[in-house]
Amino acid sequence: MDFATIIEILDSAVRLGTPLLLACLAGLFSERAGIFDIGLEGKMLMAAFFSGAVAAVTGNAWLGLLAGIGGSMSLAMVHGLASITFRGNQLISGVAVNFLASGFTVLIAQSWFQQGGRTPQLSGNGRFEPITLPGAEAVKDVPVIGQIYSNLISGHSILVYVAFAMVPLTWWVLFRTRFGLRLRAVGENPESVDTAGVSVIRLRYTAVAITGALAGLAGTYLATGLAAGFVKEMTAGRGYIALAALIFAKWRPVPALGATMLFGLLEAISNRYPNIDLGVVNLPIQFMQAVPYILTVVILAGFIGKAIPPRAGGQPYVKER
Amino acid sequence: MEKTPKWVDVALIPVLNLLIAFVISGIVVLLIGEDPIKAIKVMVSGALGSPYGWGYTLYYATNFIFTGLAVAVAYHASQFNIGGEGQATLGGLGVALVLLAFPWPHWSIALIAAMIGGALFGAAWAAVPAYLQAKRGSHIVITTIMFNFIGASLLNYMLVNVLRPRGAMDPATARFAKETYLPTFHDLPLIGQFFSKSVPANVSFFIALLACWLVWILIWRTKLGFEIRAFGRSETAARYAGISPVKVIMVAMLISGGLAGLMAINNVMGQGHRLVLNSVEGAGFIGIAVALMGRNHPVGVFLAAILFGFLYQGGGELALETTIPRELITVIQALVILFTGAFDNMLRAPIEHFFVARANAQKEA
Amino acid sequence: MVGAQANEAGRQATAALATQAPAIELKGISKAFGTVQANKDISIRVMPGTIHGIIGENGAGKSTLMSILYGFYKADAGEIWIKGQRTQIPDSQAAISAGIGMVFQHFKLVQNFTVLENIILGAEDGALLRPSLAKARKELKRLAEEYELNVDPDELIEELSVGHQQRVEILKALYRQADILILDEPTGVLTPAEADHLFRILDNLRKEGKTIILITHKLREIMEITDTVSVMRRGQMTATVKTAETSPEQLAELMVGRKVLLNVTKAPAQPGKTVLEVEKLRVVDEDGIERLKGIDLNIRAGEILGIAGVAGNGQSELLEVLGGFAKATGTIRVNGEEIDLTGKHSDGQSRRRRGISHVPEDRHHLGLILDFAAWENMIFGYHNDAAYQKNAFVMDNAGIVQHTQEAMERFDVRPPIPTLPAKSFSGGNQQKIVLAREIERNPTLLLVGQPTRGVDIGAIEFIHKRIVELRDQGAAILLVSVELDEIRSLADRVAVMFDGRIMGHGPVESATQTGMGCLMAGLGGDDVRGMDGWTISDEAAPEETA
Amino acid sequence: EPALIYDLGGKFDKSFNEAAYNGAKKWAEETGGSYKELEMQSEAQREQALRKLAESGANPIVMTGFAFGDTLNTVAPDYPDTKFAIIDMVVDQPNVESIVFTEEQGSYLVGLMAGMASKTGTVGFVGGMDIPLIRKFACGYVQGVKAANPDAKVIQNMTGTTPAAWNDPVKGGEIAKAQISQGADVIYAAAGGTGIGVLQAAADGGILSIGVDSNQNYLHPGQVLTSMLKRVDNAVYDAFKAGADLKPGIKVMSLADDGVGVALDDNNKALVTPEMLTAVDQAKADIISGKVTVHDYMSDDSCPVQ
Ligand SMILES: Nc1ncnc2c1ncn2[C@@H]1O[C@H](COP(=O)(O)OP(=O)(O)OP(=O)(O)O)[C@@H](O)[C@H]1O
Ligand SMILES: Nc1ncnc2c1ncn2[C@@H]1O[C@H](COP(=O)(O)OP(=O)(O)OP(=O)(O)O)[C@@H](O)[C@H]1O
Ligand SMILES: [Mg+2]
Ligand SMILES: [Mg+2]
């Protein structure tokens, strides 16, 4: 395997890891605030559809982005209503959100475009095209550094750079701002926040809304960056992988970057080398596909560093029994 | 809270929630420019209007009874088994392996063996998450989700690389021997004359009914059920009483996984006659809705399974008879889960408030 | 406000104010949780610069009332006046603005945050944390000096002892410049030394002119520190009196609604052979903290051993180990046979088969399953007994209901309806169900924890009578209670626990109030040595060093 | 009333199933008749879908895709009076017409063009689900490429092992990008809906692509070299037209009877050089005359060239 191939695989890993990263950070906000979210998949799917649809109709990817975020946020609000206002079971709500998105996107897509649940093919401004960073062309032939810069770092869609920027931003918000302090507190012990005179409900809704926005970015990237339009079930389990990455990263932003890129890399490798022959064993593609889930179970089992979720996670905040 | 009559909890609230889900589904149908009334008509006549429709409705219901019971049993032990999908998938593998392994002389013998195979494989797929929950406190919801995906990959591997007959293109096993085909409703005495040869409902339906009864006995009549319920209601009290949490979680999840795996006698052995990818078709997830609606009671599970069987079959007909895509069913299903599950308190709180106020008023008087 | 003069001035100012308006005035507060009327038409006034005590049985509604004052719950009816002003307190933010701070019975701290982070939570100065943290650090230092409230600002809460956590809670309130401080049962979790320290702090705060409401179950504390005291019973305020003008006896009577019988009439014990022998019993909990540090004790047939001590000194763990749901090292013998402490037979079922019955301290979380019907609760823990099975497969539900009906009648459970869920019974009747279940087995050894907590006086007498009856039938009984009076009136012998050890044990007759009090604090001075027939542990520190 | 069942890729996959749809549409427009159609949602519902249509009296019932083979084999005998047609699979039943195509021939032709159009000497192939049928495409393609340039390298990838491989444009795009980075400058996608992602990635990467089944030249005008036409539309049209008189047995649609071919239209006019045209015409004539035989992978499950 030569250097160019490695760069190419890493490049692919970045592209495939980006939706996971955005979705993972999305989940991070919600779960850090004590709202479990297994509905990331649904929110991404909804965003993928609305961004694809609006971008197709208007020919403007930015409008698509807005619509995608809107679609994802509306599901986030359903989840918020269920988990915060009605104090329902967050897991059940997540399951419902996934189904809702899965059915609703196809239903609407079919009604709007009559293309069997897909949106028209996007082109030109309807997509977030790759951006060539300044100087990338110039240094293309400089060995190693130049190759890394022009082939790996440059040449992604704007949403990829947004996703990467979200990592330090998320860290900063979470650990360096008042909002972050309160958000973490509400996921650990909502009573502490409530008795400190801060509204648990408002905090949690804000968190859920941020989750919606980030999951919206993730879905939009799928439909308008990675692909050129929406097809049904195009998230293909990425929401669950993002959830796995979140656990893998123990609900922390920087490890989330590592986990999602690892899972992106696994996908990139299995794209290029469907069967990996290790000499002793031949790893079939199905194994490669299952690796993120297997790793997550191992982490959950606590054999390699235990993943402890936010203490109040999954429980509705109920003052009166 | 105990002042609210029981019928409110088991009947009124679920029915109202269901109504809301249906009304919103109707609005969705309107939104996509179709006629909801017509949609209902098509669904009702397609699913319930003929023996053909019933044959399919009951076939689907059979699947949902198994997965619904699976969710319910685990729920009584306060375990949210979201892995019914994976367990049923593996159950299918178990059934297929059993049926392909031997030249079974008669369906009845094959059925018993297949039941053991399906249940064992389903239980095995629940065992790891159960063990991790019991021993290491790993959140069972997340591990069972992960196991759904791992199970799908495993089945994919088995079908593509191991079980696919030579020269065949689709990832599926060979057909089972004719001797192992389960009698369908058409083949049964008395009712056979009403059903055509093509209906898939088969003797598994009666096994599902039996499973309902056995689950009822288990939960409400046996020592084990007592321990499961006690643990489910109060883990600390169960420990005080000397009930082993590990035992209860393991046993409940193994039974749950086994029930989900048993579903395969219906869809794989009874209908498909071979194992294909995704033969479970989301029944594992529907089991959650079924258990929620059925309030985790076998009778409720049975009724809810019939309802979802109706939705499933009716939805299939919709796709055929109208331009409404079959995904409408997914939406209805989502809304039912949402309203009977996650939004349950929306109606419950005001209704209970009403009854509490009434109780207080009576107390005053 | 540094310096004695300023202090003096402040006190005078508040004293002047005291003659004008109460710091707090509640008028007609009512609150219901579902069908439970937790507070009913409650009115009280508290003057500034005073400490006001509130006492009442468990469930009387004390915490609820204070939570309403703090905006944590919303009252169904009533008015709140702060410093002479009608004040709406819809949420805690409003309470904080009105200068109210509260230390809850169950602390509201974020376990994996530092002290500093907990302090500023909700009281940050701006959108960024850094300046707030710096300011809080400085302020904390000042407060620590002023009120002897030392805590390491960078320590995680989960690393702190309970006493220190409580200091953080107080600091939280002071940081928010509270001049009205509510403390809900602050000493329940403290060692006597910590409690004394707390009272010194409270005294300092009072001198500063702050108003304090102190909820406690301990009459001693009320008498020691409060200026005025209110008594609550069943959601109502039954009396408010000046502390100086009342006595513990009067308060106790007000609390339970009638004269308290301090003694149970019982015949002298007729101890038989030794039933329970415990040697070198040690328990280490999940966090690695040693909860029992080598317990030795024994109980003979026909006697009641009372375990006294401040809650949290290992009594609960002792019961849990004996009852079979906590692991331990050491030896336990029942009727000479050693009991499995860690292996396959170390569970509650095996203990029950050996004739050990257990009435747990916490009936809601351990003793009962509130959603289960009375008949199910009546066999809970004994459900595997052959007597309750119809055949190899199913249980004899009808038979169990019948049996329950009879037991309920014998134990005067009201209403005697076996199919009613446990949660529909009142606390006293719930406790009777648990007792019926455990006592009806005729155990050789009965473990009882807090048998009359939150139970009304009529039921208390009944329960005490049944326990003594059981003793007279020859059972060995281990009684754990935080109520010294209960220990005194029921037990034949007393052992005092402190910090996971038995500090001393001896006959109840020679136990003096002060002597036991010293042992409960881990002290072993002259008061203790003077008790006839008592064996005192070497661990008990001579009084002077404390 | 005839009926058409689409496979999992869905009616509008812009490829295989869409070709079938176009055939049915053409028939409906010409005859003014109406037909029933059904899209498969899941593997397990094949049988119900077939039976449903058969029960409803539809005749003939046409289905696209080999995956129906096994199911049809059990269902067809139950409805002896109904005629079935299955595309891409041979089902030996008295009331079934099995329609198969000589995809290796069409793929040979586009391979020829790819080999000529490639400047790097490296071309790519992206298949859908890894099954003999798709290897047949690949093998024909490689033979064509080598005929034009014996030194050319062909990078081959399959998208997956399950039917989901027909409908994963994101993965298709990633595979195409990988091939581009390995030097491929023409990529042939035989992957149903997944191919859309391949064509997109090729267009984004500034290289040429080759579509499949339907004429996909229009998707990226000037960037799709050509499309390997598989006249599924004709097959459906013919079956519908035959109606109840559909002739059971195997029907092979080959280059000779325009069953397969290459798409030439305004969209790729500029890309197709006169030399290419000549070569394609020559090869076509040679294949039809038997002078050139293109190896069929499925005849012996192997391919002589790589
Ligand atoms: N959040 C709640 N929801 C429902 N009922 C409650 C709630 N909090 C308290 N109660 C009920 O209100 C009554 C009063 O409870 P409260 O906690 O105020 O008592 P308390 O006097 O503080 O008792 P303790 O001495 O045990 O702390 C009890 O019957 C209790 O069960
Ligand atoms: N946690 C609870 N959940 C639901 N209802 C409760 C709860 N606690 C108490 N109740 C209800 O409130 C009523 C009064 O309960 P409570 O324990 O205050 O009784 P009580 O008057 O103190 O009686 P007792 O003197 O026997 O303890 C009970 O009959 C019961 O129906
Ligand atoms: Mg209290
Ligand atoms: Mg009470």
Side-chain angles (χ1 to χ4, degrees), chain C residues 62-64 105 184-185 215:
Chain C
K62 308 177 293 290
S63 301
T64 304
Q105 194 171 357
D184 192 353
E185 290 190 40
I215 297 176

Side-chain angles (χ1 to χ4, degrees), chain D residues 105 108 143 282-294:
Chain D
Q105 295 174 343
Y108 180 91
Q143 292 174 64
Q282 182 60 46
K284 217 169 169 177
D286 288 350
I287 292 170
I288 291 171
S289 71
K291 207 166 128 198
V292 170
T293 42
V294 184

